[in-house]
Amino acid sequence: ETGVTQTPRHLVMGMTNKKSLKCEQHLGHNAMYWYKQSAKKPLELMFVYNFKEQTENNSVPSRFSPECPNSSHLFLHLHTLQPEDSALYLCASSQVALAGSEQYFGPGTRLTVT
Amino acid sequence: RKEVEQDPGPFNVPEGATVAFNCTYSNSASQSFFWYRQDCRKEPKLLMSVYSSGNEDGRFTAQLNRASQYISLLIRDSKLSDSATYLCVVITSSGTYKYIFGTGTRLKVLA
Protein backbone atom coordinates (compact mmCIF):
# COMPACT_ATOMS: atom_id res chain seq x y z
CA GLU A 1 0.00 0.00 0.00
CA THR A 2 1.31 3.46 -0.81
CA GLY A 3 0.78 7.03 0.28
CA VAL A 4 -1.31 8.06 3.24
CA THR A 5 -4.26 5.97 4.37
CA GLN A 6 -6.99 6.80 6.82
CA THR A 7 -9.66 4.76 8.54
CA PRO A 8 -12.54 4.86 8.87
CA ARG A 9 -13.54 6.81 5.78
CA HIS A 10 -16.91 7.72 7.28
CA LEU A 11 -17.96 7.93 10.90
CA VAL A 12 -21.24 8.85 12.56
CA MET A 13 -21.11 9.24 16.30
CA GLY A 14 -23.25 10.58 19.08
CA MET A 15 -22.07 13.31 21.37
CA THR A 16 -21.38 10.87 24.20
CA ASN A 17 -19.40 8.36 22.14
CA LYS A 18 -15.67 7.78 22.09
CA LYS A 19 -14.05 6.91 18.79
CA SER A 20 -10.62 7.07 17.18
CA LEU A 21 -9.42 8.01 13.73
CA LYS A 22 -6.36 6.28 12.36
CA CYS A 23 -3.79 7.47 9.85
CA GLU A 24 -0.84 5.61 8.41
CA GLN A 25 1.78 6.89 5.98
CA HIS A 26 3.95 4.69 3.79
CA LEU A 27 6.18 7.47 2.44
CA GLY A 28 9.01 7.31 4.95
CA HIS A 29 8.15 10.78 6.21
CA ASN A 30 8.97 12.05 9.66
CA ALA A 31 6.13 14.50 10.18
CA MET A 32 2.40 13.96 10.40
CA TYR A 33 -0.49 16.37 10.73
CA TRP A 34 -4.19 16.49 11.50
CA TYR A 35 -6.33 19.03 9.66
CA LYS A 36 -10.03 19.84 9.87
CA GLN A 37 -11.90 20.90 6.75
CA SER A 38 -15.36 22.38 7.14
CA ALA A 39 -17.58 23.53 4.32
CA LYS A 40 -16.54 26.83 2.78
CA LYS A 41 -13.62 27.23 5.18
CA PRO A 42 -9.91 26.79 4.60
CA LEU A 43 -8.14 23.79 6.04
CA GLU A 44 -7.44 24.28 9.73
CA LEU A 45 -4.26 22.78 11.11
CA MET A 46 -4.98 20.99 14.39
CA PHE A 47 -1.84 19.09 15.40
CA VAL A 48 1.68 18.54 14.17
CA TYR A 49 4.04 15.73 15.06
CA ASN A 50 7.70 15.70 14.09
CA PHE A 51 9.66 12.53 14.78
CA LYS A 52 6.81 11.41 17.07
CA GLU A 53 6.94 14.57 19.15
CA GLN A 54 4.01 16.96 19.15
CA THR A 55 5.22 20.36 18.03
CA GLU A 56 1.98 22.22 17.40
CA ASN A 57 -1.42 22.32 18.97
CA ASN A 58 -3.46 25.08 17.44
CA SER A 59 -5.81 25.75 20.35
CA VAL A 60 -7.74 22.58 19.68
CA PRO A 61 -10.38 21.65 22.30
CA SER A 62 -9.40 18.85 24.63
CA ARG A 63 -12.18 16.65 23.28
CA PHE A 64 -9.69 15.96 20.46
CA SER A 65 -6.66 14.02 21.65
CA PRO A 66 -3.86 13.03 19.25
CA GLU A 67 -1.47 10.15 19.62
CA CYS A 68 1.61 9.37 17.57
CA PRO A 69 3.22 6.05 18.56
CA ASN A 70 5.76 6.19 15.71
CA SER A 71 6.55 8.24 12.63
CA SER A 72 4.22 6.17 10.46
CA HIS A 73 1.07 6.17 12.57
CA LEU A 74 -1.14 8.91 13.89
CA PHE A 75 -4.40 8.70 15.79
CA LEU A 76 -7.03 11.21 16.73
CA HIS A 77 -9.09 10.18 19.73
CA LEU A 78 -12.53 11.75 19.94
CA HIS A 79 -14.83 12.06 22.93
CA THR A 80 -17.89 14.10 23.82
CA LEU A 81 -17.86 15.89 20.50
CA GLN A 82 -20.27 18.62 19.45
CA PRO A 83 -22.34 18.81 16.25
CA GLU A 84 -20.10 21.65 15.03
CA ASP A 85 -17.22 19.18 15.02
CA SER A 86 -18.78 17.48 12.00
CA ALA A 87 -16.26 17.91 9.19
CA LEU A 88 -13.72 16.16 7.03
CA TYR A 89 -10.64 15.25 9.05
CA LEU A 90 -7.53 14.97 6.96
CA CYS A 91 -4.22 13.47 7.88
CA ALA A 92 -1.09 14.58 6.06
CA SER A 93 2.60 13.80 6.14
CA SER A 94 5.78 15.48 4.99
CA GLN A 95 9.49 14.81 5.08
CA VAL A 96 9.98 16.98 8.14
CA ALA A 97 7.53 19.13 10.03
CA LEU A 98 6.66 22.52 8.73
CA ALA A 99 9.94 23.00 6.93
CA GLY A 100 8.50 24.38 3.76
CA SER A 101 8.17 21.02 2.07
CA GLU A 102 5.01 19.77 0.43
CA GLN A 103 2.48 17.74 2.36
CA TYR A 104 0.70 14.63 1.18
CA PHE A 105 -2.84 14.02 2.32
CA GLY A 106 -4.83 10.94 3.15
CA PRO A 107 -8.38 10.51 1.83
CA GLY A 108 -9.90 11.83 5.03
CA THR A 109 -12.53 10.70 7.50
CA ARG A 110 -15.90 12.33 7.06
CA LEU A 111 -17.23 12.73 10.57
CA THR A 112 -20.83 13.43 11.47
CA VAL A 113 -21.69 14.15 15.10
CA THR A 114 -25.36 13.66 15.91
CA ARG B 1 -7.49 41.21 5.48
CA LYS B 2 -7.24 37.43 5.26
CA GLU B 3 -3.76 35.95 5.21
CA VAL B 4 -4.49 34.09 1.99
CA GLU B 5 -7.34 34.96 -0.34
CA GLN B 6 -8.77 33.23 -3.36
CA ASP B 7 -11.79 33.98 -5.51
CA PRO B 8 -14.14 31.09 -4.68
CA GLY B 9 -15.58 31.03 -8.22
CA PRO B 10 -16.97 28.97 -9.78
CA PHE B 11 -15.10 29.64 -12.97
CA ASN B 12 -17.13 28.04 -15.75
CA VAL B 13 -15.07 27.62 -18.90
CA PRO B 14 -15.54 25.61 -22.11
CA GLU B 15 -13.24 22.74 -22.95
CA GLY B 16 -10.08 23.93 -24.61
CA ALA B 17 -10.16 27.33 -22.93
CA THR B 18 -7.33 28.92 -21.01
CA VAL B 19 -8.13 29.92 -17.45
CA ALA B 20 -6.11 31.58 -14.72
CA PHE B 21 -6.61 31.97 -10.99
CA ASN B 22 -4.80 34.19 -8.54
CA CYS B 23 -4.11 33.78 -4.87
CA THR B 24 -3.07 36.80 -2.83
CA TYR B 25 -1.19 36.67 0.44
CA SER B 26 -0.67 39.31 3.09
CA ASN B 27 2.67 38.37 4.64
CA SER B 28 5.54 39.67 2.56
CA ALA B 29 7.89 37.26 4.36
CA SER B 30 6.11 34.23 2.87
CA GLN B 31 8.65 31.79 1.54
CA SER B 32 7.11 28.82 -0.20
CA PHE B 33 4.01 28.36 -2.26
CA PHE B 34 2.09 25.40 -3.61
CA TRP B 35 -1.01 24.70 -5.63
CA TYR B 36 -3.17 21.75 -4.65
CA ARG B 37 -6.14 20.28 -6.44
CA GLN B 38 -9.13 18.96 -4.52
CA ASP B 39 -11.90 16.98 -6.17
CA CYS B 40 -15.33 16.92 -4.60
CA ARG B 41 -15.30 14.98 -1.32
CA LYS B 42 -11.69 13.94 -1.83
CA GLU B 43 -8.40 14.95 -0.27
CA PRO B 44 -6.19 17.75 -1.59
CA LYS B 45 -3.49 16.52 -3.94
CA LEU B 46 -0.31 18.40 -4.69
CA LEU B 47 -0.47 19.89 -8.17
CA MET B 48 2.76 21.85 -8.28
CA SER B 49 5.17 23.96 -6.32
CA VAL B 50 5.54 27.59 -7.29
CA TYR B 51 9.08 28.76 -7.94
CA SER B 52 10.28 32.34 -8.00
CA SER B 53 11.08 32.20 -11.69
CA GLY B 54 7.79 30.56 -12.56
CA ASN B 55 7.42 26.97 -13.59
CA GLU B 56 5.47 24.87 -16.01
CA ASP B 57 4.17 21.32 -15.92
CA GLY B 58 2.44 20.35 -19.11
CA ARG B 59 -0.66 22.49 -19.46
CA PHE B 60 -0.16 24.10 -16.06
CA THR B 61 1.94 27.18 -15.37
CA ALA B 62 2.54 28.65 -11.93
CA GLN B 63 3.85 32.15 -11.37
CA LEU B 64 4.91 34.14 -8.31
CA ASN B 65 4.70 37.91 -8.09
CA ARG B 66 6.41 38.96 -4.88
CA ALA B 67 5.99 42.67 -5.48
CA SER B 68 2.21 42.37 -5.65
CA GLN B 69 2.11 39.38 -3.31
CA TYR B 70 0.20 36.90 -5.35
CA ILE B 71 0.67 33.57 -7.04
CA SER B 72 -1.16 32.44 -10.12
CA LEU B 73 -2.10 29.22 -11.83
CA LEU B 74 -2.71 29.11 -15.56
CA ILE B 75 -4.37 26.13 -17.18
CA ARG B 76 -4.20 25.87 -20.97
CA ASP B 77 -6.41 23.70 -23.16
CA SER B 78 -8.78 22.91 -20.29
CA LYS B 79 -10.08 19.35 -20.02
CA LEU B 80 -13.29 18.15 -18.40
CA SER B 81 -11.08 16.33 -15.90
CA ASP B 82 -9.61 19.63 -14.74
CA SER B 83 -12.90 20.41 -12.98
CA ALA B 84 -11.99 20.64 -9.31
CA THR B 85 -11.23 23.13 -6.56
CA TYR B 86 -7.73 24.60 -6.65
CA LEU B 87 -6.20 25.48 -3.30
CA CYS B 88 -3.20 27.68 -2.83
CA VAL B 89 -0.90 27.16 0.13
CA VAL B 90 1.39 29.86 1.44
CA ILE B 91 4.17 29.05 3.86
CA THR B 92 5.67 31.65 6.14
CA SER B 93 8.44 31.31 8.65
CA SER B 94 8.89 33.29 11.83
CA GLY B 95 10.67 30.84 14.04
CA THR B 96 8.38 28.03 13.04
CA TYR B 97 6.85 27.47 9.63
CA LYS B 98 3.18 28.20 9.19
CA TYR B 99 1.15 26.65 6.39
CA ILE B 100 -1.87 28.71 5.37
CA PHE B 101 -4.42 27.32 2.97
CA GLY B 102 -6.74 29.38 0.84
CA THR B 103 -10.42 28.46 0.66
CA GLY B 104 -9.98 27.39 -2.94
CA THR B 105 -11.20 28.39 -6.38
CA ARG B 106 -13.73 26.12 -8.00
CA LEU B 107 -13.28 25.38 -11.69
CA LYS B 108 -15.91 23.78 -13.90
CA VAL B 109 -14.89 22.85 -17.42
CA LEU B 110 -17.95 22.47 -19.62
CA ALA B 111 -18.32 20.23 -22.66
Side-chain angles (χ1 to χ4, degrees):
Chain A
E1 202 161 6
T2 59
V4 182
T5 58
Q6 289 186 242
T7 55
R9 296 292 306 277
H10 300 272
L11 178 62
V12 179
M13 59 186 289
M15 289 191 282
T16 57
N17 291 161
K18 287 185 181 181
K19 296 286 184 185
S20 295
L21 310 185
K22 180 183 175 183
C23 175
E24 185 173 358
Q25 59 95 1
H26 309 270
L27 299 168
H29 289 165
N30 296 304
M32 297 186 78
Y33 312 79
W34 280 116
Y35 282 90
K36 175 183 178 182
Q37 188 175 35
S38 305
K40 301 192 189 303
K41 288 186 179 180
L43 270 74
E44 300 170 48
L45 180 63
M46 299 173 72
F47 302 104
V48 181
Y49 278 83
N50 195 31
F51 293 94
K52 302 189 298 176
E53 299 297 321
Q54 184 175 318
T55 59
E56 294 269 331
N57 175 342
N58 283 345
S59 304
V60 180
S62 60
R63 56 187 184 268
F64 296 91
S65 173
E67 178 190 358
C68 187
N70 54 61
S71 293
S72 300
H73 293 85
L74 185 64
F75 295 90
L76 187 63
H77 304 299
L78 316 171
H79 64 97
T80 58
L81 295 191
Q82 304 298 311
E84 60 265 28
D85 296 323
S86 298
L88 180 67
Y89 288 84
L90 292 159
C91 173
S93 71
S94 66
Q95 191 59 46
V96 290
L98 302 178
S101 59
E102 58 269 28
Q103 298 177 340
Y104 293 87
F105 287 85
T109 295
R110 189 160 296 280
L111 174 67
T112 303
V113 181
T114 60
Chain B
R1 183 182 173 186
K2 290 181 184 176
E3 291 181 281
V4 174
E5 287 197 77
Q6 293 185 256
D7 181 339
F11 283 54
N12 296 323
V13 302
E15 262 188 298
T18 295
V19 62
F21 322 125
N22 285 345
C23 168
T24 59
Y25 58 94
S26 60
N27 188 335
S28 58
S30 298
Q31 297 182 306
S32 302
F33 309 87
F34 298 99
W35 282 104
Y36 279 76
R37 169 197 171 125
Q38 186 171 25
D39 292 290
C40 188
R41 304 181 77 82
K42 297 281 185 72
E43 74 274 22
K45 291 188 177 175
L46 180 66
L47 181 65
M48 56 197 305
S49 305
V50 185
Y51 301 127
S52 297
S53 54
N55 49 299
E56 191 174 304
D57 183 2
R59 297 181 294 107
F60 298 83
T61 301
Q63 298 266 342
L64 167 63
N65 186 318
R66 284 198 183 274
S68 301
Q69 294 183 203
Y70 71 89
I71 61 172
S72 64
L73 178 67
L74 179 82
I75 306 175
R76 288 182 297 278
D77 188 22
S78 300
K79 311 289 184 194
L80 293 175
S81 56
D82 294 333
S83 298
T85 296
Y86 291 84
L87 308 173
C88 68
V89 183
V90 175
I91 301 167
T92 62
S93 174
S94 53
T96 59
Y97 286 83
K98 189 175 173 185
Y99 284 58
I100 306 166
F101 283 77
T103 51
T105 296
R106 191 167 170 210
L107 171 67
K108 290 185 183 178
V109 180
L110 308 172

PDB file of all heavy atoms in Angstrom, chain B residues 24-39:
ATOM      1  N   THR B  24      -3.843  35.714  -3.440  1.00  0.00           N
ATOM      2  CA  THR B  24      -3.070  36.802  -2.829  1.00  0.00           C
ATOM      3  C   THR B  24      -2.730  36.444  -1.385  1.00  0.00           C
ATOM      4  O   THR B  24      -3.481  35.732  -0.714  1.00  0.00           O
ATOM      5  CB  THR B  24      -3.853  38.131  -2.856  1.00  0.00           C
ATOM      6  OG1 THR B  24      -5.079  37.949  -2.141  1.00  0.00           O
ATOM      7  CG2 THR B  24      -4.155  38.560  -4.274  1.00  0.00           C
ATOM      8  N   TYR B  25      -1.606  36.937  -0.939  1.00  0.00           N
ATOM      9  CA  TYR B  25      -1.194  36.669   0.438  1.00  0.00           C
ATOM     10  C   TYR B  25      -0.753  37.978   1.085  1.00  0.00           C
ATOM     11  O   TYR B  25      -0.296  38.909   0.418  1.00  0.00           O
ATOM     12  CB  TYR B  25      -0.078  35.612   0.488  1.00  0.00           C
ATOM     13  CG  TYR B  25       1.177  35.956  -0.284  1.00  0.00           C
ATOM     14  CD1 TYR B  25       2.255  36.559   0.346  1.00  0.00           C
ATOM     15  CD2 TYR B  25       1.279  35.651  -1.642  1.00  0.00           C
ATOM     16  CE1 TYR B  25       3.406  36.873  -0.359  1.00  0.00           C
ATOM     17  CE2 TYR B  25       2.420  35.957  -2.351  1.00  0.00           C
ATOM     18  CZ  TYR B  25       3.490  36.566  -1.703  1.00  0.00           C
ATOM     19  OH  TYR B  25       4.631  36.879  -2.414  1.00  0.00           O
ATOM     20  N   SER B  26      -0.897  38.035   2.397  1.00  0.00           N
ATOM     21  CA  SER B  26      -0.674  39.314   3.089  1.00  0.00           C
ATOM     22  C   SER B  26       0.715  39.435   3.708  1.00  0.00           C
ATOM     23  O   SER B  26       1.189  40.546   3.935  1.00  0.00           O
ATOM     24  CB  SER B  26      -1.731  39.504   4.181  1.00  0.00           C
ATOM     25  OG  SER B  26      -1.641  38.453   5.121  1.00  0.00           O
ATOM     26  N   ASN B  27       1.375  38.315   3.961  1.00  0.00           N
ATOM     27  CA  ASN B  27       2.666  38.367   4.640  1.00  0.00           C
ATOM     28  C   ASN B  27       3.799  38.391   3.619  1.00  0.00           C
ATOM     29  O   ASN B  27       4.044  37.417   2.920  1.00  0.00           O
ATOM     30  CB  ASN B  27       2.815  37.152   5.563  1.00  0.00           C
ATOM     31  CG  ASN B  27       4.044  37.249   6.450  1.00  0.00           C
ATOM     32  OD1 ASN B  27       5.011  37.920   6.118  1.00  0.00           O
ATOM     33  ND2 ASN B  27       3.998  36.571   7.580  1.00  0.00           N
ATOM     34  N   SER B  28       4.480  39.512   3.565  1.00  0.00           N
ATOM     35  CA  SER B  28       5.539  39.667   2.559  1.00  0.00           C
ATOM     36  C   SER B  28       6.724  38.743   2.827  1.00  0.00           C
ATOM     37  O   SER B  28       7.572  38.545   1.962  1.00  0.00           O
ATOM     38  CB  SER B  28       6.028  41.125   2.536  1.00  0.00           C
ATOM     39  OG  SER B  28       6.503  41.497   3.816  1.00  0.00           O
ATOM     40  N   ALA B  29       6.793  38.171   4.038  1.00  0.00           N
ATOM     41  CA  ALA B  29       7.887  37.256   4.364  1.00  0.00           C
ATOM     42  C   ALA B  29       7.572  35.813   3.960  1.00  0.00           C
ATOM     43  O   ALA B  29       8.364  34.912   4.255  1.00  0.00           O
ATOM     44  CB  ALA B  29       8.164  37.319   5.863  1.00  0.00           C
ATOM     45  N   SER B  30       6.470  35.592   3.289  1.00  0.00           N
ATOM     46  CA  SER B  30       6.115  34.232   2.867  1.00  0.00           C
ATOM     47  C   SER B  30       7.201  33.651   1.976  1.00  0.00           C
ATOM     48  O   SER B  30       7.780  34.352   1.149  1.00  0.00           O
ATOM     49  CB  SER B  30       4.767  34.235   2.129  1.00  0.00           C
ATOM     50  OG  SER B  30       3.747  34.682   2.990  1.00  0.00           O
ATOM     51  N   GLN B  31       7.474  32.377   2.172  1.00  0.00           N
ATOM     52  CA  GLN B  31       8.654  31.793   1.537  1.00  0.00           C
ATOM     53  C   GLN B  31       8.379  30.747   0.482  1.00  0.00           C
ATOM     54  O   GLN B  31       9.097  30.642  -0.508  1.00  0.00           O
ATOM     55  CB  GLN B  31       9.514  31.141   2.616  1.00  0.00           C
ATOM     56  CG  GLN B  31      10.054  32.115   3.638  1.00  0.00           C
ATOM     57  CD  GLN B  31      10.928  31.408   4.646  1.00  0.00           C
ATOM     58  OE1 GLN B  31      10.506  30.451   5.263  1.00  0.00           O
ATOM     59  NE2 GLN B  31      12.160  31.877   4.799  1.00  0.00           N
ATOM     60  N   SER B  32       7.379  29.925   0.725  1.00  0.00           N
ATOM     61  CA  SER B  32       7.114  28.823  -0.202  1.00  0.00           C
ATOM     62  C   SER B  32       5.641  28.819  -0.554  1.00  0.00           C
ATOM     63  O   SER B  32       4.797  29.246   0.238  1.00  0.00           O
ATOM     64  CB  SER B  32       7.479  27.473   0.429  1.00  0.00           C
ATOM     65  OG  SER B  32       8.814  27.450   0.818  1.00  0.00           O
ATOM     66  N   PHE B  33       5.379  28.302  -1.750  1.00  0.00           N
ATOM     67  CA  PHE B  33       4.014  28.355  -2.259  1.00  0.00           C
ATOM     68  C   PHE B  33       3.724  27.073  -3.045  1.00  0.00           C
ATOM     69  O   PHE B  33       4.599  26.551  -3.747  1.00  0.00           O
ATOM     70  CB  PHE B  33       3.849  29.555  -3.204  1.00  0.00           C
ATOM     71  CG  PHE B  33       4.326  30.855  -2.614  1.00  0.00           C
ATOM     72  CD1 PHE B  33       5.658  31.230  -2.723  1.00  0.00           C
ATOM     73  CD2 PHE B  33       3.449  31.686  -1.938  1.00  0.00           C
ATOM     74  CE1 PHE B  33       6.109  32.413  -2.168  1.00  0.00           C
ATOM     75  CE2 PHE B  33       3.885  32.873  -1.378  1.00  0.00           C
ATOM     76  CZ  PHE B  33       5.224  33.245  -1.490  1.00  0.00           C
ATOM     77  N   PHE B  34       2.492  26.601  -2.892  1.00  0.00           N
ATOM     78  CA  PHE B  34       2.088  25.402  -3.610  1.00  0.00           C
ATOM     79  C   PHE B  34       0.670  25.593  -4.133  1.00  0.00           C
ATOM     80  O   PHE B  34      -0.131  26.336  -3.556  1.00  0.00           O
ATOM     81  CB  PHE B  34       2.089  24.177  -2.678  1.00  0.00           C
ATOM     82  CG  PHE B  34       3.431  23.845  -2.101  1.00  0.00           C
ATOM     83  CD1 PHE B  34       3.777  24.249  -0.824  1.00  0.00           C
ATOM     84  CD2 PHE B  34       4.345  23.100  -2.819  1.00  0.00           C
ATOM     85  CE1 PHE B  34       5.005  23.931  -0.277  1.00  0.00           C
ATOM     86  CE2 PHE B  34       5.579  22.780  -2.281  1.00  0.00           C
ATOM     87  CZ  PHE B  34       5.915  23.189  -1.010  1.00  0.00           C
ATOM     88  N   TRP B  35       0.375  24.856  -5.179  1.00  0.00           N
ATOM     89  CA  TRP B  35      -1.007  24.700  -5.634  1.00  0.00           C
ATOM     90  C   TRP B  35      -1.413  23.243  -5.416  1.00  0.00           C
ATOM     91  O   TRP B  35      -0.658  22.317  -5.771  1.00  0.00           O
ATOM     92  CB  TRP B  35      -1.150  25.035  -7.123  1.00  0.00           C
ATOM     93  CG  TRP B  35      -1.187  26.494  -7.413  1.00  0.00           C
ATOM     94  CD1 TRP B  35      -0.186  27.263  -7.929  1.00  0.00           C
ATOM     95  CD2 TRP B  35      -2.294  27.383  -7.212  1.00  0.00           C
ATOM     96  NE1 TRP B  35      -0.593  28.559  -8.065  1.00  0.00           N
ATOM     97  CE2 TRP B  35      -1.889  28.658  -7.631  1.00  0.00           C
ATOM     98  CE3 TRP B  35      -3.605  27.216  -6.729  1.00  0.00           C
ATOM     99  CZ2 TRP B  35      -2.731  29.778  -7.582  1.00  0.00           C
ATOM    100  CZ3 TRP B  35      -4.431  28.317  -6.676  1.00  0.00           C
ATOM    101  CH2 TRP B  35      -3.998  29.579  -7.098  1.00  0.00           C
ATOM    102  N   TYR B  36      -2.591  23.068  -4.823  1.00  0.00           N
ATOM    103  CA  TYR B  36      -3.170  21.750  -4.647  1.00  0.00           C
ATOM    104  C   TYR B  36      -4.483  21.706  -5.419  1.00  0.00           C
ATOM    105  O   TYR B  36      -5.156  22.724  -5.590  1.00  0.00           O
ATOM    106  CB  TYR B  36      -3.482  21.474  -3.170  1.00  0.00           C
ATOM    107  CG  TYR B  36      -2.301  21.038  -2.342  1.00  0.00           C
ATOM    108  CD1 TYR B  36      -1.339  21.953  -1.923  1.00  0.00           C
ATOM    109  CD2 TYR B  36      -2.146  19.711  -1.954  1.00  0.00           C
ATOM    110  CE1 TYR B  36      -0.254  21.556  -1.153  1.00  0.00           C
ATOM    111  CE2 TYR B  36      -1.067  19.298  -1.175  1.00  0.00           C
ATOM    112  CZ  TYR B  36      -0.129  20.225  -0.782  1.00  0.00           C
ATOM    113  OH  TYR B  36       0.937  19.829  -0.021  1.00  0.00           O
ATOM    114  N   ARG B  37      -4.850  20.504  -5.800  1.00  0.00           N
ATOM    115  CA  ARG B  37      -6.139  20.283  -6.443  1.00  0.00           C
ATOM    116  C   ARG B  37      -6.963  19.406  -5.512  1.00  0.00           C
ATOM    117  O   ARG B  37      -6.453  18.432  -4.952  1.00  0.00           O
ATOM    118  CB  ARG B  37      -5.890  19.570  -7.785  1.00  0.00           C
ATOM    119  CG  ARG B  37      -7.141  19.059  -8.425  1.00  0.00           C
ATOM    120  CD  ARG B  37      -6.851  18.026  -9.484  1.00  0.00           C
ATOM    121  NE  ARG B  37      -8.102  17.428  -9.891  1.00  0.00           N
ATOM    122  CZ  ARG B  37      -8.530  17.379 -11.133  1.00  0.00           C
ATOM    123  NH1 ARG B  37      -7.783  17.856 -12.115  1.00  0.00           N
ATOM    124  NH2 ARG B  37      -9.695  16.821 -11.411  1.00  0.00           N
ATOM    125  N   GLN B  38      -8.247  19.771  -5.348  1.00  0.00           N
ATOM    126  CA  GLN B  38      -9.125  18.960  -4.517  1.00  0.00           C
ATOM    127  C   GLN B  38     -10.406  18.672  -5.282  1.00  0.00           C
ATOM    128  O   GLN B  38     -11.158  19.588  -5.622  1.00  0.00           O
ATOM    129  CB  GLN B  38      -9.439  19.651  -3.184  1.00  0.00           C
ATOM    130  CG  GLN B  38     -10.236  18.764  -2.227  1.00  0.00           C
ATOM    131  CD  GLN B  38     -10.360  19.338  -0.827  1.00  0.00           C
ATOM    132  OE1 GLN B  38     -10.271  20.531  -0.621  1.00  0.00           O
ATOM    133  NE2 GLN B  38     -10.566  18.473   0.158  1.00  0.00           N
ATOM    134  N   ASP B  39     -10.636  17.397  -5.545  1.00  0.00           N
ATOM    135  CA  ASP B  39     -11.896  16.980  -6.165  1.00  0.00           C
ATOM    136  C   ASP B  39     -12.966  16.888  -5.083  1.00  0.00           C
ATOM    137  O   ASP B  39     -12.652  16.753  -3.890  1.00  0.00           O
ATOM    138  CB  ASP B  39     -11.712  15.645  -6.876  1.00  0.00           C
ATOM    139  CG  ASP B  39     -10.807  15.778  -8.076  1.00  0.00           C
ATOM    140  OD1 ASP B  39     -11.236  16.406  -9.063  1.00  0.00           O
ATOM    141  OD2 ASP B  39      -9.660  15.308  -8.018  1.00  0.00           O
TER     142      ASP B  39
END
